């Protein structure tokens, strides 16, 4: 007697081998693409180059969305913004030598801002590695060495079989707190060579959670619960950890005033009764923070800008929650808690005792009134009015990206972002040219939301080529260019520091409106009085647009000198 299961025909060894055989024509570039798709990537940024053509060919045959910009550094800024908004690791595809090196400033900003950028670069053919100096095009003695002190980690594949593991390892590193850019390098011949490896499946690169040590959060909770004047400084780590809700719960439970750093804009509601807003470059705020008997610092290293240029010296106990181990107690002794902000705030919420303090909102109002009074004694109404006009024109949930320009320096302290993770600037590394290409990356990440970029005329010149990118991909970005005929903030710094003398701060610049029009991008020249109307119209019009504001602005008087 036979049974049905006795009649099952098992495949022969030849049939099994045939089924596992990869499709013909697959290359090392396909292994990269398959790994990225397996890890969840949907969009990549970059520029092609000779050694990277095998990678770009594979991307072109895949369902990944490829967004090409005109300059590698700008592609890096776009990837940075996409990563900040989505929380995803973002592939940035680069070619060897000059192409790779051109992206260094963007990767430095991604490192300073903890953006999870996955930079994947080609390399000269394998035969040219090892310092042999064979004279290959784009050859460097040690390409990875140029990036090792900038990025979070370096990952090198030298054979096709190494590619999936190397890319997955880099992906996991980029997304493990603290987020950051990582570097992957693969030789040209490895990217182009046909591979016999099966298609990549079942990739897993789960980031590690960075949980706080319970004995540390228990002590911190005890200090905060019994403090007389607790204050919270909320940095960018709160935004990156998506922990704004938990921060608000903790502040309200403790009745503790909250100030947000420039990187932490939006981490706490601007008009909350406990909000000190972001006036960190004001001595009144510095004094308020120094007076705290317990200061909770979440997701900030208390660097130059967050400490009023290192003039802040706490007098009470300091608790610092920070995912970047190198920033822990880097500037001030503290109870250092090495942890992701969200997990640490949750631990505090579970252990802290409610604290009554009816005077806290009044102390906050007095502080903000003192700041307003100081500004009222200066001739800075124009700058404040411009920020008011921008805030009125910009939809509440629209992201904004700010270059290193005077209006941005004002925005760090005075602009209400309305929501977490909607205001970003280059204040991490401080390079020019960030705003417009970053805004393009944000528009790719959130295609149904208008995005604002703000630049000075000097910074705008770094990104003019990307008007072509904006038009090619029809990205909904409005670019506000404040044209004062030079590097305005440097002009002001030099005037103050060198008895009124300046050097190299005055610039010949184009007619920005006419230049934008030559790219097919509509442009308007506005005035302070018409800015709100013109900016509103531009933001409501789909696709890219440029608004040019001829104006010479000035900073509020510093308090740290």
């Amino acid at each position: 007697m036979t049974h049905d299961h006795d009649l099952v025909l098992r495949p022969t060894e030849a049939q099994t081998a045939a089924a596992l055989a990869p499709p013909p024509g697959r290359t090392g570039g396909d292994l990269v693409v398959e790994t990225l798709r397996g890890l969840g990537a949907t969009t990549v940024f970059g520029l092609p180059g000779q050694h990277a053509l095998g990678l770009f060919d594979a991307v072109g045959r895949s369902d990944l969305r490829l967004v090409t910009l005109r300059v590698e550094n700008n592609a890096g800024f776009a990837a940075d913004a996409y990563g900040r908004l989505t929380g995803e690791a973002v592939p940035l595809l680069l070619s060897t030598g000059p192409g790779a090196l051109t992206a260094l400033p963007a990767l430095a900003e991604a490192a300073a801002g903890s953006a999870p950028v996955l930079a994947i670069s080609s390399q000269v053919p394998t035969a040219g590695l090892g310092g042999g100096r064979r004279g290959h095009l784009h050859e460097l003695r040690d390409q990875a060495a140029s990036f090792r002190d900038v990025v979070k980690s370096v990952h090198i594949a030298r054979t096709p079989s190494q590619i999936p593991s190397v890319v997955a390892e880099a992906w996991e590193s980029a997304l493990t707190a603290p987020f950051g850019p990582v570097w992957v390098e693969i030789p040209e011949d490895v990217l182009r060579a046909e591979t016999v490896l099966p298609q990549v499946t079942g990739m897993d690169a789960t980031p590690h959670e960075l949980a706080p040590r319970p004995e540390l959060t228990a002590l911190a909770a005890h200090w905060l619960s019994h403090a007389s004047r607790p204050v919270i400084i909320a940095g960018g780590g709160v935004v990156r950890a998506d922990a704004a809700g938990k921060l608000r719960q903790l502040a309200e439970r403790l009745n503790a005033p909250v100030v947000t750093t420039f990187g932490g804009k939006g981490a706490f509601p601007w008009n909350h009764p406990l909000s000190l807003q972001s006036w960190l470059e004001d001595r009144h705020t510095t004094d308020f923070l120094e007076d705290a008997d317990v200061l909770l610092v979440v997701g900030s290293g208390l660097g130059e800008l967050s400490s009023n240029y290192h003039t802040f010296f706490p007098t009470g106990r300091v608790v610092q929650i920070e995912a970047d181990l190198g920033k822990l107690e880097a500037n001030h002794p503290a109870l250092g808690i090495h942890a992701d902000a969200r997990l640490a705030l949750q631990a505090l919420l579970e252990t802290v005792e409610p604290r009554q303090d009816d005077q806290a909102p009044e102390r906050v109002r007095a502080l903000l009134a003192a700041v307003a009074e100081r500004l009222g004694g200066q001739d800075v109404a124009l700058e404040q009015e411009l920020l008011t006009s921008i805030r009125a024109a910009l939809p509440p949930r629209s992201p904004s990206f700010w270059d290193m320009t005077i209006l941005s320096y004002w925005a760090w302290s005075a602009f209400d972002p309305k929501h977490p993770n909607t205001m970003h600037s280059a204040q991490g590394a401080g390079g020019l040219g960030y705003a417009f290409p970053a805004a393009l990356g944000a528009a790719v990440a959130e295609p149904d939301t208008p995005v604002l970029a703000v630049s000075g005329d000097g910074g705008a010149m770094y990104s003019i080529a990307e008007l072509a990118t904006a038009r090619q991909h029809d990205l909904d970005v409005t670019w506000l260019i404040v044209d004062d005929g030079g590097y305005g903030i440097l002009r002001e710094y030099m005037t103050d520091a060198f008895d009124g003398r300046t050097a190299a701060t005055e610039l010949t610049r184009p007619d920005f409106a006419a230049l934008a029009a030559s790219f097919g991008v509509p442009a308007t020249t506005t005035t302070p009085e018409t800015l709100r109307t013109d900016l509103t119209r531009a933001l409501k019009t789909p696709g890219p647009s440029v608004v040019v504001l001829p104006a010479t602005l000035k900073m509020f008087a510093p308090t740290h000198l």
Side-chain angles (χ1 to χ4, degrees):
M1 181 181 293
T2 62
H3 301 279
D4 288 346
H5 64 264
D6 294 328
L7 300 177
V8 174
L9 299 177
R10 292 178 173 80
T12 65
E13 184 175 337
Q15 289 171 324
T16 301
L20 293 175
R26 282 173 66 257
T27 65
D30 288 291
L31 294 174
V32 175
V33 169
E34 291 164 9
T35 304
L36 291 175
R37 291 296 289 115
L39 292 169
T42 59
T43 303
V44 299
F45 295 85
L47 273 78
Q50 179 175 323
H51 292 154
L53 292 180
L55 177 55
F56 278 81
D57 171 69
V59 170
R61 291 184 281 103
S62 75
D63 61 353
L64 286 171
R65 181 182 184 185
L66 172 60
V67 181
T68 57
L69 286 88
R70 299 305 195 269
V71 182
E72 287 86 354
N73 198 52
N74 293 336
F77 285 145
D80 168 303
Y82 188 101
R84 293 192 197 201
L85 262 61
T86 64
E88 301 169 6
V90 191
L92 170 66
L93 311 184
L94 302 166
S95 192
T96 317
L101 294 174
T102 301
L104 263 172
L107 293 175
E109 178 57 45
S114 295
V117 176
L118 183 74
I120 303 177
S121 171
S122 59
Q123 175 58 296
V124 299
T126 307
L129 301 177
R133 309 293 293 177
R134 297 170 65 93
H136 287 282
L137 182 71
H138 304 329
E139 183 179 88
L140 297 170
R141 281 189 299 245
D142 185 353
Q143 178 173 271
S146 299
F147 297 86
R148 202 174 300 276
D149 285 341
V150 173
V151 299
K152 183 178 178 183
S153 55
V154 170
H155 310 263
I156 298 175
R158 290 290 181 255
T159 66
S161 61
Q162 294 176 359
I163 288 174
S165 295
V166 163
V167 172
E169 181 183 67
W171 182 281
E172 183 176 313
S173 175
L175 288 176
T176 296
F179 289 0
V182 296
W183 180 257
V184 175
E185 187 177 286
I186 309 171
E188 177 194 24
D189 53 328
V190 176
L191 288 170
R192 299 186 67 161
E194 190 165 341
T195 180
V196 297
L197 294 175
Q199 287 186 306
V200 179
T201 59
M203 293 307 303
D204 181 27
T206 304
H208 302 297
E209 284 197 337
L210 188 57
R213 288 166 43 199
E215 74 275 16
L216 297 178
T217 54
L219 179 57
H222 176 75
W223 286 356
L224 290 165
S225 299
H226 296 88
S228 298
R229 299 176 309 283
V231 182
I232 300 173
I233 298 178
V238 177
V239 176
R240 288 186 291 274
D242 192 22
K246 294 186 182 302
L247 172 69
R248 179 172 180 169
Q249 290 180 55
L250 183 65
E252 291 176 346
R253 189 171 299 178
L254 291 170
N255 268 294
V258 179
V259 64
T260 59
T261 71
F262 305 150
K265 298 282 287 187
F268 196 72
W270 189 256
N271 292 316
H272 192 284
L274 293 171
S275 175
L276 298 168
Q277 301 179 356
S278 299
W279 288 101
L280 286 167
E281 287 191 53
D282 187 286
R283 189 65 219 178
H284 295 303
T285 303
T286 305
D287 292 342
F288 191 100
L289 296 175
E290 288 182 344
D291 184 57
D293 62 335
V294 179
L295 184 68
L296 173 63
V297 184
V298 190
S300 171
L302 292 182
E304 182 176 71
L305 298 179
S306 301
S307 62
N308 203 358
Y309 299 90
H310 297 300
T311 62
F312 161 62
F313 300 100
T315 59
R317 290 167 165 164
V318 178
V319 177
Q320 185 185 14
I321 297 167
E322 175 57 56
D324 187 337
L325 188 61
K327 293 180 180 179
L328 210 59
E329 295 190 81
N331 287 297
H332 301 284
L335 176 66
I337 302 176
H338 183 215
D340 175 79
R342 182 179 182 85
L343 299 177
L345 287 171
Q346 179 60 41
L348 290 176
L349 282 169
E350 292 171 357
T351 51
V352 76
E353 299 171 17
R355 180 184 164 277
Q356 298 301 316
D357 185 355
D358 296 335
Q359 298 302 310
E362 179 55 38
R363 293 172 61 228
V364 168
R365 283 192 294 270
L367 180 280
L368 295 178
V371 172
E373 183 179 359
R374 187 177 74 84
L375 294 174
Q378 305 173 36
D379 182 20
V380 291
L382 170 63
E383 291 75 9
Q384 292 173 292
E385 290 167 4
L386 292 178
L387 289 182
T388 299
S389 295
I390 293 171
R391 180 63 276 170
L394 186 66
R397 291 195 176 274
S398 281
S400 61
F401 292 83
W402 303 71
D403 217 333
M404 302 297 284
T405 188
I406 288 177
L407 193 58
S408 301
Y409 290 20
W410 267 96
W412 291 349
S413 293
F415 191 73
D416 175 6
K418 295 295 184 186
H419 294 280
N421 205 24
T422 56
M423 180 180 173
H424 300 275
S425 69
Q427 53 90 19
L432 278 173
Y434 172 80
F436 187 55
L440 298 179
V444 175
E446 298 187 0
D448 298 324
T449 305
V451 182
L452 175 68
V454 181
S455 299
D457 57 290
M461 292 301 293
Y462 281 63
S463 310
I464 287 296
E466 305 311 337
L467 285 168
T469 300
R471 183 75 282 167
Q472 179 175 338
H473 297 284
D474 198 29
L475 298 172
D476 194 3
V477 174
T478 295
W479 192 8
L480 174 61
I481 301 174
V482 182
D483 184 358
D484 66 358
Y487 297 122
I489 192 67
L490 299 181
R491 178 195 292 144
E492 187 164 314
Y493 286 164
M494 290 195 77
T495 299
D496 292 343
F498 300 103
D499 298 323
R501 299 189 309 275
T502 63
T505 61
E506 308 311 306
L507 299 173
T508 298
R509 71 278 194 198
D511 179 337
F512 286 105
L515 184 57
S518 74
F519 285 92
V521 174
T524 301
T525 299
T526 191
T527 66
E529 294 74 24
T530 59
L531 174 61
R532 177 176 177 176
T533 299
D534 291 336
L535 199 57
T536 299
R537 183 186 305 114
L539 286 161
K540 287 183 177 179
T541 303
S545 59
V546 170
V547 177
V548 183
L549 173 64
T552 300
L553 308 181
K554 63 180 181 180
M555 281 299 296
F556 50 81
T559 65
H560 63 278
L561 300 178

